[in-house]
Amino acid sequence: MKQYCISPEISILECLKVIDSCATGIAIAVDKNFKLIGTISDGDIRRALIGGAKLNTTVNKFINRNCFSVLWSVSRAEVLDIMQARRFEQVPIIDDNGKVVGIHLLHDILGKKNRTNWAVVMAGGKGTRLRPITETIPKPMIKVAGRPILERIVLHFINYGIKKIFISVNYLSDIIEDHFKDGSRFGCSIEYLREEKSLGTGGALSLLPEVPKDPIILMNGDLITEIDFDQMISFHEKHQFYATMGVSSYAHEVPYGCVKVQRDRIMELKEKPILQEIINAGVYIISPEALEAVPKNAYFPVTDLFEKALGKKLACGAFKVAKNWIDVGQPNELIKARFGSN
């Protein structure tokens, strides 16, 4: 971390040496307590030299003190989202006290080792619960914080080295295909599973061009999540599950006092109890052999695959989605995603 940090009082020549030795494209200016002051790039130095600065001139007045930085707690997927949206190549990482603790480099994030697993995103639904918004735009293309939900999903896959992505499309499919095309501008390969009729949450799997060699990730196209796909795939493979479902905890407060009654007698009172359940989070790992259970070009909820597997006593896993998870298909959840919970 210290190798790319500089004092604002060093010379342009010394700063160039730091940038060259670290191959980061920038140096990060810090005070004596390593608190972030700003950044200076090779481009900043080039402009300074063109403007008449000398190699022995201090870099102090050429530092970009309004540089963008992120807290250490921000996920790599979120950082990738920001960097691609704002065309940043580097972003300093700071702790809660403003001290520099690292740097995100775009080529490091995108250069993560590619996985051979495919991803399938279900994006063909009509989003009737979100009308009138979805009368002119497919639900997965609704923007949250300035970016379509589906684009966030694609970038999240890329962050985990998953770069062969299939998107099932039907309703207003041209909007999705015009936006993503073949995926090359996002650094991945995108193909489309075109549903001539609604195939449910799992039926589009029968439209895959071939059976993959590795487990695939199947995901609803209306989710905002920071799920760790490395961990989920490892969990699935370690236990050799037939299929794995991502699950989340859901709590609901009953708005009334509840009464437990037995034979006309009150046995217990609970004031506005909170009910907690484990719910389907809409993310799945499907083994290649499990794809044989998907009927060809027919309506097929993916939950049927799990129910049939359980009926045959095939082992199915439940992977806990520990981080943020929002189902934007619910109107109140869309509001939360767009404007926060308050």
Side-chain angles (χ1 to χ4, degrees), residues 224-269:
I224 295 178
T225 178
E226 297 173 12
I227 188 169
D228 189 320
F229 288 121
D230 285 340
Q231 290 184 6
M232 188 173 185
I233 293 170
S234 295
F235 171 81
H236 174 85
E237 293 179 337
K238 176 183 177 181
H239 297 285
Q240 298 182 323
F241 287 128
Y242 179 78
T244 294
M245 178 185 293
V247 299
S248 184
S249 179
Y250 179 79
H252 173 69
E253 182 182 48
V254 178
Y256 307 101
C258 293
V259 184
K260 183 177 179 180
V261 176
Q262 186 175 32
R263 295 181 181 178
D264 298 327
R265 296 183 62 181
I266 295 175
M267 306 303 295
E268 186 179 0
L269 297 175

Side-chain angles (χ1 to χ4, degrees), residues 9 24 63 71 86 96 142 144 162 182 200 225 274 292 301 311:
E9 303 306 321
T24 57
I63 293 170
L71 286 171
R86 302 181 67 172
D96 294 332
I142 294 172
V144 170
I162 299 161
D182 64 358
T225 178
I274 295 177
E292 297 177 5

Side-chain angles (χ1 to χ4, degrees), residues 89-250:
E89 296 288 332
Q90 316 92 348
V91 173
I93 307 168
I94 59 174
D95 66 13
D96 294 332
N97 297 314
K99 291 184 179 181
V100 175
V101 294
I103 185 171
H104 285 295
L105 301 174
L106 183 61
H107 68 76
D108 282 351
I109 297 177
L110 293 179
K112 190 170 182 177
K113 183 180 178 181
N114 290 349
R115 279 190 166 275
T116 54
N117 305 86
W118 297 354
V120 177
V121 186
M122 296 170 286
K126 294 183 178 180
T128 53
R129 286 176 298 186
L130 296 181
R131 287 182 177 172
I133 297 174
T134 51
E135 289 178 354
T136 56
I137 185 171
K139 179 171 58 174
M141 294 302 291
I142 294 172
K143 289 184 178 182
V144 170
R147 186 177 294 276
I149 298 164
L150 186 53
E151 187 172 315
R152 293 181 177 277
I153 292 172
V154 167
L155 292 175
H156 194 63
F157 280 130
I158 293 170
N159 184 43
Y160 283 92
I162 299 161
K163 297 186 178 180
K164 188 163 183 67
I165 301 170
F166 294 86
I167 302 177
S168 69
V169 294
N170 183 311
Y171 178 68
L172 299 177
S173 61
D174 57 315
I175 295 176
I176 294 174
E177 295 189 42
D178 287 347
H179 183 82
F180 290 98
K181 295 184 169 58
D182 64 358
S184 56
R185 76 183 181 95
F186 297 95
C188 65
S189 168
I190 294 178
E191 297 180 34
Y192 300 93
L193 307 177
R194 297 179 177 88
E195 301 181 22
E196 295 180 0
K197 58 183 179 181
S198 177
L199 297 179
T201 54
L205 293 173
S206 70
L207 303 179
L208 288 169
E210 59 182 309
V211 176
K213 296 179 181 179
D214 301 293
I216 67 168
I217 301 169
L218 178 65
M219 183 173 177
N220 292 348
D222 55 3
L223 298 180
I224 295 178
T225 178
E226 297 173 12
I227 188 169
D228 189 320
F229 288 121
D230 285 340
Q231 290 184 6
M232 188 173 185
I233 293 170
S234 295
F235 171 81
H236 174 85
E237 293 179 337
K238 176 183 177 181
H239 297 285
Q240 298 182 323
F241 287 128
Y242 179 78
T244 294
M245 178 185 293
V247 299
S248 184
S249 179
Y250 179 79

Side-chain angles (χ1 to χ4, degrees), residues 36-96:
L36 177 65
I37 294 174
T39 61
I40 183 166
S41 68
D42 47 11
D44 293 327
I45 292 177
R46 184 170 59 252
R47 286 183 287 273
L49 292 172
I50 292 172
K54 305 298 182 183
L55 288 176
N56 61 357
T57 304
T58 62
V59 298
N60 193 24
K61 66 178 181 178
F62 307 114
I63 293 170
N64 174 17
R65 298 171 187 270
N66 295 317
C67 70
F68 183 82
S69 61
V70 295
L71 286 171
W72 63 271
S73 55
V74 177
S75 72
R76 283 168 65 92
E78 289 181 86
V79 173
L80 175 62
D81 190 10
I82 294 167
M83 293 176 83
Q84 291 198 323
R86 302 181 67 172
R87 300 185 182 277
F88 291 147
E89 296 288 332
Q90 316 92 348
V91 173
I93 307 168
I94 59 174
D95 66 13
D96 294 332

